[in-house]
Amino acid sequence: MSALERFEIAQSTPSASPAVVAPVAVKTHHWAALPLLIIGLMALGMVGHLWLATQIQVQGRQIVNLEATMDSLTAENNILTAQITIIDTPSQLAQRAVSLGMVPEPQTSLLVVPTGQILGVDQAVTGSEMPIITAASAIGNGLTWPSLATADTGGANTSGDTSVASQLTDTTTPQV
Amino acid sequence: MAPVQRHRRRWLVPAAHLQRRQIGLMIVFAGLILALIAGSLYVQVFDPEGYRDRTGQDRIDLPASRGEIADRNGTPMALSQPAVNIVADPATVATNGGTWEQMSLGARLRAKAGPGIIAGIVSAFLGGDFNDYYAGLTRVTNADGEPNRYALLYPQVMDYYEQQVDEAIDRLGYVGIASQSSPLRTYPNGSTAANVVGYLTTSEELVAQGKYPMVGAEGVEQSFNTQLAGVDGYGKFEVSGYGRIPTGDNVVVEPVEGQSYQLTIDLPLQLMQDQLLAQAVADNQARGGMAITMAVETGEVLAMSVNPVFDSNNLTPTPVEDQGNRAIRYSYEPGSVQKLLTVAAVIDQGLADQGTHLEVPGHLNAGGAIISDAFSHGTMRMTTAGVIGRSSNIGAVLLARQSSKSALIDYMHSFGLGAATGVGLPREELGLVPDANMTDQERDMMAFGQGISVTAIQEAAAVNAIANGGVYIQPTIVKAATNAAGQEVDMPTAQTHRVVSEETSTQVLNMMESVVALNPGSLDIPGYRTAAKSGTAQAAGPNGAGYNGTGSGWVMSYLGVAPAEDPQILTYVVIDYPQATTTGTAAAAPVAESVLSLALSRYGVPPSTTPSSNLPVDW
């Protein structure tokens, strides 16, 4: 029922007391409430944005730093891998083996397990069987040091020193 | 009746106020529309070129990784490592990225010092000549007067060092230096098997594209260059002045990584064979040498040595003629090792056997030429085994004369002579086999290894057919190939065909044992029955100088197979132009014998349990 209907009913009903019209109480807001709300939300958003942006920047910087560290470690890993590859080559192993007193074993004798029979000439190795190999290995066998470098193909660098081996051994880098 | 009073809510805006708000809103919208119009005018009228210039396609290369090469044990022989070319934009370096007219005096002085400082940094970190770098950095214009935007300062430096250079230049505030990916191809074993692995080279076109060096020029690097290289990919993006357009026509084609190859080479054995060959070449004051060790039943090349050697990592010190693979590319007259093929052909036709009696005179007329043996003798009564054991030229000629010329030539072709073996290495020399219309003299000479030329791999594969029960098996250097996902790639199987019967094969091997038996204590390998043959061939001088002319010499060779009763390993050694020895047995046999010993031991081949054939060589 609307206020007007309620008023008309009241008029048509006999009453001892005069009709009193009471305004319906309506809750109102201050005119600035909405703009303030919007401004508040915007301020909150801006603060949030600022916080997020700051966090992104901080974490972005951390990512950049970590990526730089990863690049550096990857590069270092590449160097170390190259060193291991060189050290693991047969020529390097042969040199180390000779330096440890090992000698080639050119004489085979096999033990046949089921029968215990020995096939071949069973004799001790003296180290003089392959003097060429022993001597060659001890001095690097006359082979070129595995420099891991590529042929110089010119460019501004004409020194020809593209050897990675030189890069590997030159671990002291001057400060500029 | 009292008028009804309506109460306006206080937050409702009066009409006047509402009008003001509407006007304000309209102003805001009008401002936005004006801004859009202004932006549109700027783009379309005032700066159309600039906007157009800022749009286009951004393309990035996605280079494929080159496959690796490893030996039969998985030990790397060639691999790619991340590296970059350090390049400069000299035109940018000249102004340190600024516009000269708008730069202050201080900035100009600073830019002037740039090339020197950058050259100093590169030189300090990477070595090399300061002046070379400086010259590259100060070449500001090209020959056509256009600004020079590209100078290669240092090729293929590992990124660890490039980072240090980059940081130092950055720290000092200079610009104009960049890096471009250029993987470094490395050969950890240096000169060991360099003739097999090969190397990469470059071309001006590739350098201009910053792809340096990426083309196989020798060895497996060349013969499988396409498969090793893979296929580069790329990314193509439409860009505006504000970066990539998300909804633009963006295409990414992933690279197809190169295949990796596992060779049949056994690096430790190769290393030892290299050492033994190098020593023999030095001891005999020879021009060079070759040695091949094969697995008899598979045709796999276990070691292929040449001397002089070269280092795939650095070719500079090695003469160009020594940067190849003599074992497949140097053809020569094989000498007496060829007698094995002659005798096998004759026996296989049923014209003789290992015990056939021959009366071998001291000299033999061959179409006007006098043929003699390496040792003086009167008429000797030799068996066929004696002809092989004593390496009689005359005996070989007498046997060859039993056969028709066409049959002999057919056998030579069937043994693989005169054609590329297809071992998997590039640019094989074919050698020379006479045709069936050859003269009698040519036939006679061919019988003992003159007038015919072979490569070491051809001769090794031919005799390997005898050792392999009479079946020729195509020699191979590649054991397997895998793609980037590690899946095995189908490889062509080695071609095989029967050349001589198994019985012929056995008889020839028995006769080869006579070579060892006639040199007791010097050619035998303790515990193993060994079949062998030496070769001592005159080498004609260049330009028709003949066998005794200027530049003529000798090619000494020795081929050993063991165990003779069940051949597993074959080693063939050639010493080229030795000065200090006159027989293949003296020059090449020690190498072959040592390599055979090592290989038999290394592969655990059981020693022989049966006695040597011990065939009669005389009658």
Side-chain angles (χ1 to χ4, degrees), chain B residues 327-346:
Chain B
I328 62 163
R329 213 165 293 144
Y330 175 61
S331 62
Y332 56 93
E333 293 174 294
S336 297
V337 176
Q338 184 70 15
K339 290 171 186 163
L340 298 174
L341 309 187
T342 303
V343 169
V346 172

Side-chain angles (χ1 to χ4, degrees), chain A residues 30-118:
Chain A
H30 190 271
W31 66 271
L34 182 63
L36 283 174
L37 178 66
I38 293 170
I39 291 169
L41 286 172
M42 287 178 65
L44 197 63
M46 288 179 69
V47 170
H49 172 74
L50 190 65
W51 181 81
L52 274 175
T54 306
Q55 288 300 306
I56 288 169
Q57 284 184 353
V58 168
Q59 292 185 4
R61 171 57 58 188
Q62 287 175 343
I63 289 171
V64 167
N65 289 341
L66 288 171
E67 282 180 345
T69 305
M70 186 181 74
D71 288 347
S72 177
L73 290 173
T74 301
E76 197 173 343
N77 183 57
N78 291 336
I79 295 280
L80 294 171
T81 302
Q83 286 179 333
I84 290 171
T85 306
I86 293 174
I87 292 168
D88 206 29
T89 57
S91 58
Q92 296 297 304
L93 291 174
Q95 287 185 46
R96 292 297 304 275
V98 169
S99 68
L100 291 171
M102 299 182 187
V103 295
E105 157 58 307
Q107 298 164 345
T108 298
S109 57
L110 299 179
L111 176 68
V112 182
V113 175
T115 62
Q117 181 192 7
I118 293 176

Side-chain angles (χ1 to χ4, degrees), chain B residues 204-266:
Chain B
E204 293 299 326
E205 293 83 355
L206 287 171
V207 169
Q209 296 170 27
K211 295 175 178 176
Y212 150 87
M214 292 303 287
V215 178
E218 182 56 84
V220 173
E221 290 276 35
Q222 182 181 14
S223 49
F224 294 96
N225 181 64
T226 305
Q227 296 90 330
L228 282 162
V231 181
D232 290 345
Y234 63 89
K236 229 168 38 176
F237 309 96
E238 287 190 334
V239 294
S240 69
Y242 304 101
R244 290 178 187 169
I245 303 170
T247 56
D249 185 15
N250 299 332
V251 178
V252 175
V253 176
E254 295 290 342
V256 179
E257 309 294 5
Q259 294 177 7
S260 292
Y261 283 82
Q262 184 179 29
L263 305 188
T264 59
I265 294 292
D266 183 0

Side-chain angles (χ1 to χ4, degrees), chain A residues 71-72 75 82 85 89-90 105 108 133 137 141 143-144 146 148-151 153 156-158 161 164 167 173-174 176, chain B residues 81 124-125 132 152-154 156 158 160-161 163-164 184-186 188-189 191-192 212 271 275 279 311 313 597 601:
Chain A
D71 288 347
S72 177
T85 306
T89 57
E105 157 58 307
T108 298
I133 287 180
S137 298
N141 62 62
L143 302 177
T144 310
L148 293 184
T150 56
T153 57
N157 169 40
T158 56
D161 183 17
V164 177
Q167 296 175 24
T173 48
V176 179
Chain B
Q81 292 179 316
F125 276 94
D132 288 338
L152 177 63
L153 284 189
Y154 202 102
Q156 296 190 301
M158 292 186 79
Y160 180 77
Y161 297 99
Q163 286 172 6
Q164 294 180 333
L184 184 64
R185 194 66 167 172
T186 60
N189 300 282
S191 59
T192 307
Y212 150 87
L271 174 67
Q275 293 171 347
Q279 190 65 42
D311 184 347
N313 297 301
S597 298
S601 173

